[in-house]
Amino acid sequence: QVQLVESGGGLVQAGGSLRLSCAASGRIFNEYAMGWFRQAPGKERNFVSGIGWRSGITYYTESVKGRFMISRDNANNTVYLQMNSLKPEDTAVYYCAANLRCSGNGCSPYYGMDAWGKGTLVTVSS
């Protein structure tokens, strides 16, 4: 039911910045979270950042703390990921996700209700 469309990926040099956007349509459950995961070639999909849709509480994986910032526009059902000081190891396909469950350790899909975008590629060159 929920459809997510990511945008903002592209090529950037190390140390540069990029802003990802995710526009959602359909029902968003306010008691859950939205966020971002990423997957590098040959690697597992890993949590990057999340934000409680109602609370606004933010969550980050350790490797992006201090560099990435997640935000949301509830009125427009949009979530953003501002990525600064990008590193080559940030290179991955970034996926927007909805209806996540979050705690101090990060976020994970609420299986059966989770929704995913098709991904947007971020490439950081040295």
Side-chain angles (χ1 to χ4, degrees), residues 2-55:
V2 177
Q3 292 184 313
L4 307 173
V5 180
E6 304 103 329
S7 62
L11 303 175
V12 65
Q13 294 180 335
S17 298
L18 212 58
R19 190 192 193 200
L20 305 183
S21 298
C22 174
S25 61
R27 177 177 289 189
I28 297 294
F29 294 95
N30 293 336
E31 65 268 33
Y32 300 124
M34 289 187 66
W36 297 88
F37 288 67
R38 65 186 180 187
Q39 186 170 22
K43 303 295 181 64
E44 295 182 345
R45 186 176 300 186
N46 295 315
F47 166 75
V48 178
S49 183
I51 184 167
W53 199 245
R54 182 177 61 195
S55 69

Side-chain angles (χ1 to χ4, degrees), residues 7-116:
S7 62
L11 303 175
V12 65
Q13 294 180 335
S17 298
L18 212 58
R19 190 192 193 200
L20 305 183
S21 298
C22 174
S25 61
R27 177 177 289 189
I28 297 294
F29 294 95
N30 293 336
E31 65 268 33
Y32 300 124
M34 289 187 66
W36 297 88
F37 288 67
R38 65 186 180 187
Q39 186 170 22
K43 303 295 181 64
E44 295 182 345
R45 186 176 300 186
N46 295 315
F47 166 75
V48 178
S49 183
I51 184 167
W53 199 245
R54 182 177 61 195
S55 69
I57 297 174
T58 57
Y59 307 84
Y60 300 94
T61 192
E62 190 68 28
S63 63
V64 307
K65 288 182 178 178
R67 299 190 297 120
F68 291 9
M69 180 179 177
I70 190 170
S71 61
R72 86 270 197 254
D73 181 347
N74 298 63
N76 292 305
N77 282 355
T78 303
V79 64
Y80 305 94
L81 185 66
Q82 178 66 46
M83 305 184 294
N84 300 320
S85 301
L86 283 162
K87 305 175 181 180
E89 49 263 46
D90 294 319
T91 296
V93 176
Y94 284 69
Y95 297 91
C96 180
N99 296 335
L100 305 175
R101 298 161 63 101
C102 300
S103 68
N105 294 324
C107 307
S108 60
Y110 189 158
Y111 295 110
M113 295 201 308
D114 59 311
W116 298 85

